[in-house]
Every structure is written in structure tokens, then in C-alpha cells.
């Protein structure tokens, strides 16, 4: 019917706009998935100015940028990573929070399967700090997220704090269009084109509608302290994470990025690390649960990829969620 097609058209356009907006404002990290240790930008204020950046144009509207990082920046990044890790890791012979020599930290991380983990994190931090300014200096407008042409794990083999480093970065950019003005008329006037409409995909439409409804879901705090959380609910939790030992016990503390206070968790499948939601379902406000989780195998942080961890999760607040129905009022 015409009315239903109108609703679907409005919802589709609304979803496309929301998707584009989400790409523009979305954070670079995912909830509870620590792609990298938290390092604040302040420590590089005086040392992350790249000496030079060489830009090479590639086919298909892409560029390759070689950023020369001065030794002062490589040392500052590495020192900061070591300082942050020293605050959370426990090593016999050192007090928690005391300054631990980098060699000792590297040995401990290597023993846990994280070879060159500190150097990898320092490289990722330098990348995040320098790429944006390098692109601006070259007047390049990026599309998507720039990435290292050589994996950080390989660069870490030659990374020496205090020595210069070359970061090879690849990035898609907007294409350059040169208009032919020889005719004295705008060259795109009168241009025609054609396209082939793709077959209707009900599965994609259903997913788009579901994502849109989830985006506009509302919550209502639960005052009953005996209420047991269910799938579809939301809650605020305090989380403290630990690496799991071979026998399933708590090991070393996880980086601060994997923990947090008053973190909102929506209880639904496939949203977070495997096991987190399932371990919270049935809990009540004030209850603390020990939840076992598995990090994704494809996690960028190779020190955590595929590993198991244990979280102490305290339920601070519980809320029910209401997902709107697809109606004329919702589409308006």
C-alpha cells in the first residue's frame, strides 16, 4: 500500500542520515573493548610535531604519508605507556604504583604473550596524535580512518625510544575533480546517467528498522531493588577487570580502558565481549558478580586478542527499556 511505502521511505532516509551522522561523531573505540591503553594527549603537547611528512598519491583516491617522528616524541610516548602500566600492574619486588624499569615491564608483558606490547601502544598513540595534523598541513580531506601501512607489531621490532621513527600511513581521500572550462560553459550541464536498482532485501530492511528503533529506545529506572535484570534491560555498573589465569582465577589487572565506574550496559546479544551480558542477566541492584569474558580474536590489541578475562561487576542501577513501534508518528 502507498501508506506503507511512504513510511518505509521516510524511515530509510532517516536511517541513512542517522548513519552518516553516527560515522561523523562516533568514537574510535568500542565499549568495553580496549583497543589501546588510555593515554592522554597532554604528554605530547611539546614533542609530537612531526619534522616532515612525505605524501605520495596512489590510485583510487588514496594517499600514502610517511611521517617522520622525532626522537623526543618516541621517548615521551614510550615513557607515558610505562608510567600508566606501572600504576596497575603487580610485579613481585615492586610496590604498586611505583616506577618500574621498562625492561621489567617488557619482560612481564612478554611472559603474558604481549611481546613488544608497550612499543605497539606507543606507536598507536603517536599515530593518533600526528596523522590528523599531517593531513591538515597537506590540505588533505580524509575519508574513513587512516591506518598504518606496516602493522604496529612489525614496526615495534625497530622502535627505539628516543630515536627517530618513520610512520608509513595509508588513507583514502576525496578525489580531485578538474573541470574542463574550455567550452565556456559548466561541463556538467546536460550530463546524463543511469543506474541499476538492486533487488529488494527484506533482511537488510528489517535490520535497518531494528537499528533505528534501538537508537530511539527510552529507559525507565527501576526502583524495586529485588528486580532481576532481563534481556532488553539496561543497567549502570562499576567494572574492574583482570586477566584470567590458566586455571580460571584472577591474574594481572587489565588496563584502565577495560574498567570503569557507572558504565551503561544494554543487555542484548552481540553488543560486547562474549560472556559479559550473559553474566549480568538475573543480577539485582547492589549485587556484585564475577563475570568471565572472552576478547575477540580480531582485537587490534594483540595482548588481549583471544584472551579470557574476569570482571568484578557491581550493579549500580537498573532500568527497563522501551523500543518504539514503527508507526506514522514514529516516522514523522
Amino acid at each position: 500500500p502507498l501508506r506503507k511505502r511512504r513510511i518505509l521511505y521516510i524511515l530509510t532516509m532517516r536511517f541513512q542520515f542517522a548513519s552518516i551522522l553516527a560515522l561523523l561523531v562516533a568514537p574510535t573505540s568500542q565499549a568495553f573493548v580496549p583497543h589501546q591503553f588510555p593515554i592522554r594527549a597532554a604528554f605530547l603537547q611539546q614533542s609530537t610535531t612531526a619534522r616532515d611528512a612525505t605524501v605520495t598519491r596512489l590510485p583510487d583516491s588514496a594517499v600514502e604519508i610517511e611521517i617522520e617522528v622525532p626522537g623526543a616524541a618516541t621517548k615521551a610516548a614510550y615513557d607515558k605507556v610505562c608510567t600508566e602500566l606501572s600504576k596497575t600492574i603487580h610485579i613481585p619486588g615492586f610496590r604498586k604504583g611505583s616506577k618500574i624499569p621498562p625492561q621489567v615491564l617488557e619482560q612481564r608483558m612478554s611472559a603474558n604473550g604481549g611481546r613488544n606490547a608497550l612499543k605497539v601502544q606507543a606507536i598507536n598513540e603517536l599515530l593518533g596524535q600526528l596523522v590528523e595534523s599531517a593531513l591538515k598541513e597537506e590540505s588533505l580531506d580524509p575519508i574513513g580512518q587512516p591506518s598504518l601501512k606496516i602493522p604496529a607489531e612489525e614496526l615495534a621490532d625497530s622502535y627505539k625510544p628516543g630515536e627517530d621513527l618513520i610512520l608509513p600511513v595509508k588513507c583514502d581521500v576525496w578525489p580531485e575533480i578538474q573541470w574542463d572550462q574550455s567550452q565556456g560553459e559548466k561541463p556538467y550541464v546536460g550530463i546524463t546517467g543511469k543506474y541499476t536498482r538492486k533487488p529488494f532485501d527484506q533482511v537488510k530492511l528489517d535490520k535497518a528498522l531494528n537499528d533505528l528503533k534501538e537508537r530511539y529506545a527510552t529507559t525507565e529506572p527501576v526502583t524495586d531493588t529485588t528486580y532481576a535484570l532481563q534481556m532488553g534491560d539496561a543497567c549502570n555498573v562499576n567494572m574492574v577487570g583482570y586477566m584470567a589465569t590458566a586455571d580460571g582465577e584472577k591474574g594481572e589487572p587489565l588496563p584502565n580502558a577495560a574498567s570503569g565506574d557507572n558504565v551503561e550496559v544494554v543487555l542484548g546479544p552481540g553488543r560486547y565481549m562474549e560472556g559479559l551480558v550473559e553474566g549480568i542477566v538475573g543480577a539485582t541492584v547492589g549485587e556484585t558478580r564475577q563475570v568471565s569474558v572472552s576478547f575477540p580474536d580480531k582485537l587490534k590489541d594483540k595482548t588481549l586478542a583471544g584472551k579470557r578475562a574476569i570482571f568484578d561487576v557491581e550493579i549500580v542501577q537498573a532500568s527497563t527499556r522501551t523500543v518504539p513501534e514503527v508507526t506514522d508518528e514514529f516516522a514523522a
Side-chain angles (χ1 to χ4, degrees), residues 220-230 233-238 280-289 313-320:
E220 181 68 27
V222 176
T223 57
D224 183 3
T225 57
T226 64
Y227 177 80
L229 287 166
Q230 306 173 21
D233 289 341
C235 60
N236 290 67
V237 302
N238 295 333
I280 295 177
V281 169
T284 58
V285 173
E287 181 180 354
T288 298
R289 286 193 172 185
V313 182
E314 178 191 4
I315 311 300
V316 178
Q317 180 179 325
S319 302
T320 57

Side-chain angles (χ1 to χ4, degrees), residues 125 176 183 279 309:
E125 181 62 24
E176 292 183 342
Q183 303 295 326

Side-chain angles (χ1 to χ4, degrees), residues 24 41 44 55 83 119 156 160 200 211 217 236 241 266 298 320:
L24 292 174
L44 291 177
V55 179
T83 300
K119 295 179 180 180
K160 295 182 179 179
F200 175 73
D211 291 344
N236 290 67
V266 176
K298 296 183 179 180
T320 57

Side-chain angles (χ1 to χ4, degrees), residues 11 21 55:
L11 288 176
L21 182 62
V55 179

Side-chain angles (χ1 to χ4, degrees), residues 1-270:
L2 180 61
R3 180 184 176 190
K4 179 176 289 186
R5 287 201 299 269
R6 174 179 173 272
I7 292 176
L8 291 178
Y9 173 77
I10 294 174
L11 288 176
T12 300
M13 295 302 294
R14 192 170 177 181
F15 172 73
Q16 289 176 346
F17 173 78
S19 299
I20 294 172
L21 182 62
L23 287 174
L24 292 174
V25 303
T28 58
S29 60
Q30 299 177 356
F32 311 124
V33 182
H35 291 280
Q36 54 189 25
F37 301 157
I39 302 179
R40 300 294 176 258
F43 81 99
L44 291 177
Q45 286 178 349
Q46 301 298 325
S47 58
T48 53
T49 302
R51 288 179 178 168
D52 196 11
T54 304
V55 179
T56 303
R57 290 279 179 175
L58 302 176
D60 301 325
S61 300
V63 297
E64 179 181 333
I65 308 174
E66 288 193 348
I67 303 174
E68 183 180 346
V69 185
T74 61
K75 185 177 186 304
Y78 185 77
D79 289 347
K80 185 62 177 180
V81 171
C82 293
T83 300
E84 291 293 330
L85 183 59
S86 296
K87 295 178 182 179
T88 59
I89 196 169
H90 174 72
I91 297 179
F94 295 90
R95 290 180 301 173
K96 187 174 182 180
S98 63
K99 186 175 181 180
I100 303 176
Q103 299 88 338
V104 177
L105 294 173
E106 288 279 10
Q107 290 175 0
R108 169 53 65 91
M109 298 301 292
S110 296
N112 292 337
R115 178 176 174 270
N116 284 336
L118 304 183
K119 295 179 180 180
V120 168
Q121 179 51 37
I123 290 172
N124 286 333
E125 181 62 24
L126 289 169
L127 177 66
Q129 292 294 325
L130 294 176
V131 169
E132 183 177 355
S133 59
L135 290 171
K136 287 182 178 179
E137 289 178 4
E138 299 297 329
S139 300
L140 295 172
D141 192 5
I143 302 175
Q145 187 72 18
S147 60
L148 285 170
K149 190 174 180 181
I150 301 175
E153 290 75 13
E154 293 184 23
L155 284 176
D157 291 332
S158 58
Y159 181 100
K160 295 182 179 179
E163 295 187 8
D164 293 355
L165 177 70
I166 300 295
L167 290 180
V169 180
K170 184 178 180 181
C171 179
D172 293 327
V173 296
W174 291 103
E176 292 183 342
I177 301 176
Q178 302 294 334
W179 297 111
D180 182 6
Q181 300 291 346
S182 60
Q183 303 295 326
E185 185 181 17
K186 294 180 179 179
Y188 49 81
V189 173
I191 291 179
T192 61
K194 62 180 181 178
Y195 74 97
T196 302
R197 185 185 297 274
K198 292 184 179 180
F200 175 73
D201 191 325
Q202 184 65 48
V203 174
K204 288 185 177 180
L205 176 61
D206 291 342
K207 183 180 184 303
L209 291 176
N210 183 70
D211 291 344
L212 191 60
K213 291 191 297 181
E214 286 288 334
R215 186 172 289 117
Y216 288 92
T218 58
T219 59
E220 181 68 27
V222 176
T223 57
D224 183 3
T225 57
T226 64
Y227 177 80
L229 287 166
Q230 306 173 21
M231 276 293 187
D233 289 341
C235 60
N236 290 67
V237 302
N238 295 333
M239 303 174 59
V240 180
Y242 306 86
M243 292 296 295
T245 63
D247 56 359
E249 300 296 330
K250 295 179 184 178
E252 295 291 343
L254 288 175
N256 291 338
S259 302
D261 292 334
N262 203 32
V263 178
E264 183 182 36
V265 179
V266 176
L267 303 184

